[in-house]
Amino acid sequence: MKPYAENDIIDILNSDDLQVLQELLQSATKCRLENIGDKVYLRGLIEFSNYCDRNCFYCGLRKGNRQLKRYRLSKEEIVQTAMLAFNSGYHSICLQSGEIDSPLEIDFLVEVVEEIKELSQKADKDSKGLGITLSVGELSYHQYKRLWEAGAHRYLLRIETSVPQLFGRIHPPSQKFETRVECLRALKDIGYQTGTGVMIGLPGQTAEHLLQDLKFFQAEDVDMLGMGPYIPHRSAPLSKLSPEQQLDPYTTTLKMLALCRLLMPDINMVASTALQSINPQGLRMGLKAGANIVMPVLTPDDMRGNYYLYENKLYKKPQELVEEINSCGYTLGLWEWGDPLHYKRRIKVKVGDA
Ligand code: SAH
Ligand code: SF4
């Protein structure tokens, strides 16, 4: 497994030596600058609903959490937030929510995507309008297709862990590993720029499991990665479960980001909110590890607090994030979509093959 042997990867992931981490981050920075340059793209994140029909054992939005105040933004609120983002230079947004696959919910989302697309293309005739990423969980092929036809072109669906036994320990039996893999393949087949990712530092997760994750990302040939530390939520059953966390979630996330950048130099990779929440240096270090995407939260103030996936979820004003990115010496990629180079190459190969 280039550029590191599998044993080296296991050693790096298990190492407590700060020197090892420093060297890895330096290599990742070099690789990033050589392959995709110094741009950091912003994706305005609109968490439009926290209703969820699922019961993932780790997540604060799970259906079984009766303490959570539920909300859903109206179509007008979502479209207005998206257009505000567009007019201030974000040319990509991400619409995220809990998972509800009812026909009504999908009809609603299709309308939202169509309207955002139409309005943003009208607002700036020289541009392709807003790039729309969706992150609303496992849907059917047909539903993914409808959303694609409405104008969404990227999709994030984390595999959470590529190790089926571990997946089984953090999800109820009704949620199947195989279904998630099928969803990822369906998204790619339809044409989406496809993103996945894992949580890092899960109870019982080992370096060997993370090595398997790296191989999974390569085998599935993904365009984007969103990885972050697992952070317990007191109302989610995983927070009460032994075995303990064996890997330090913060440093191990940095190592995984760096390894992914080295193994997959041309993908887009997020410095996640969870990484920023777990350590004040999270954004800076995530960028150093090779991340090139940041997702400022644009969810309206009065709702934001209820999109509480894990404890102490951080909220930083978009302007603060922009200043931090600039102070780290990166260039902001505003007024453009910032598609992953990997996707452009993948599509070219596909066309060339035909
Ligand atoms: N419902 C959609 C999108 C919202 S959840 C979905 O599940 O795909 C988005 C991500 O939040 C999940 O993929 C998961 O990796 C992350 N998440 C949930 N609970 C978390 C926790 N306790 N710690 C860290 N990340 C968490
Ligand atoms: Fe719902 Fe997503 Fe949380 Fe699972 S991770 S409970 S699908 S919001």
Side-chain angles (χ1 to χ4, degrees):
M1 202 176 184
K2 281 183 180 172
Y4 291 100
E6 292 190 7
N7 281 344
D8 294 339
I9 291 180
I10 298 286
D11 289 346
I12 289 172
L13 290 170
N14 279 328
S15 166
D16 291 332
D17 189 342
L18 276 180
Q19 182 74 23
V20 169
L21 177 63
Q22 286 307 339
E23 280 170 18
L24 186 67
L25 296 185
Q26 272 166 16
S27 307
T29 295
K30 185 163 175 281
C31 174
R32 171 248 187 71
L33 293 174
E34 281 170 6
N35 286 280
I36 53 166
D38 72 344
K39 274 201 179 157
V40 173
Y41 297 103
L42 300 182
R43 312 283 189 238
L45 179 63
I46 306 175
E47 300 150 329
F48 66 91
S49 157
N50 68 356
Y51 282 93
C52 186
D53 273 346
R54 297 300 189 125
N55 259 316
C56 305
F57 293 162
Y58 42 85
C59 178
L61 305 195
R62 63 198 308 272
K63 190 175 187 177
N65 182 8
R66 309 251 178 260
Q67 280 137 25
L68 185 68
K69 189 165 165 253
R70 303 283 169 173
Y71 72 89
R72 178 186 284 102
L73 301 185
S74 67
K75 188 169 95 177
E76 291 68 31
E77 284 170 313
I78 305 173
V79 173
Q80 199 183 18
T81 310
M83 288 308 293
L84 268 174
F86 185 63
N87 293 328
S88 40
Y90 293 79
H91 275 203
S92 282
I93 52 159
C94 175
L95 301 177
Q96 194 180 74
S97 70
E99 186 177 315
I100 299 191
D101 63 359
S102 70
L104 261 180
E105 196 75 21
I106 302 304
D107 288 349
F108 171 81
L109 196 52
V110 164
E111 275 181 40
V112 168
V113 171
E114 280 172 350
E115 197 160 322
I116 293 175
K117 224 47 220 183
E118 196 187 318
L119 283 180
S120 58
Q121 280 170 346
K122 253 195 221 152
D124 180 358
K125 295 209 172 53
D126 296 334
S127 83
K128 298 179 285 183
L130 256 172
I132 302 177
T133 308
L134 295 177
S135 174
V136 299
E138 294 174 12
L139 305 178
S140 69
Y141 192 98
H142 174 67
Q143 289 171 323
Y144 285 145
K145 187 97 200 245
R146 279 190 65 204
L147 291 161
W148 163 263
E149 282 161 0
H153 80 294
R154 297 191 190 113
Y155 204 101
L156 299 175
L157 181 68
R158 289 188 180 176
I159 191 75
E160 315 296 0
T161 166
S162 69
V163 180
Q165 298 91 316
L166 187 54
F167 187 97
R169 268 188 260 148
I170 63 171
H171 295 101
S174 57
Q175 295 179 228
K176 300 260 181 282
F177 177 78
E178 295 72 27
T179 311
R180 204 156 280 215
V181 177
E182 275 167 28
C183 286
L184 284 170
R185 293 185 181 158
L187 290 162
K188 219 164 135 196
D189 185 63
I190 291 167
Y192 281 96
Q193 295 172 20
T194 305
T196 191
V198 293
M199 283 179 289
I200 295 163
L202 287 163
Q205 191 181 42
T206 63
E208 285 73 13
H209 292 153
L210 294 176
L211 173 66
Q212 194 161 320
D213 293 338
L214 294 172
K215 291 191 198 170
F216 177 86
F217 301 152
Q218 285 191 305
E220 295 298 320
D221 199 20
V222 294
D223 304 304
M224 312 180 292
L225 279 177
M227 291 181 293
Y230 160 65
I231 307 176
H233 185 295
R234 77 187 75 168
S235 305
L238 196 62
S239 65
K240 290 158 193 104
L241 202 82
S242 52
E244 300 284 294
Q245 286 177 296
Q246 294 168 9
L247 297 164
D248 171 57
Y250 175 60
T251 51
T252 316
T253 300
L254 294 178
K255 288 179 192 169
M256 282 294 281
L257 286 170
L259 288 166
C260 286
R261 177 54 72 212
L262 290 163
L263 294 168
M264 292 168 277
D266 58 1
I267 60 165
N268 275 357
M269 207 164 60
V270 182
S272 63
T273 306
L275 180 64
Q276 298 171 48
S277 300
I278 204 173
N279 188 297
Q281 294 296 313
L283 174 58
R284 181 174 295 268
M285 297 302 278
L287 296 175
K288 220 172 180 181
N292 67 328
I293 302 286
V294 175
M295 300 173 72
V297 174
L298 305 181
T299 312
D301 295 1
D302 49 339
M303 302 293 172
R304 186 183 301 138
N306 294 318
Y307 203 85
Y308 204 58
L309 299 161
Y310 43 81
E311 299 295 333
N312 302 319
K313 184 167 170 251
L314 178 92
Y315 170 69
K316 267 196 191 160
K317 290 203 179 82
Q319 192 50 34
E320 286 177 76
L321 292 172
V322 166
E323 281 160 18
E324 211 170 323
I325 295 164
N326 283 333
S327 77
C328 297
Y330 294 94
T331 308
L332 267 189
L334 285 170
W335 312 102
E336 56 184 319
W337 276 12
D339 285 337
L341 205 56
H342 182 83
Y343 173 78
K344 294 179 188 164
R345 289 182 175 150
R346 181 162 76 74
I347 291 305
K348 229 184 231 162
V349 172
K350 214 173 165 189
V351 172
D353 280 352

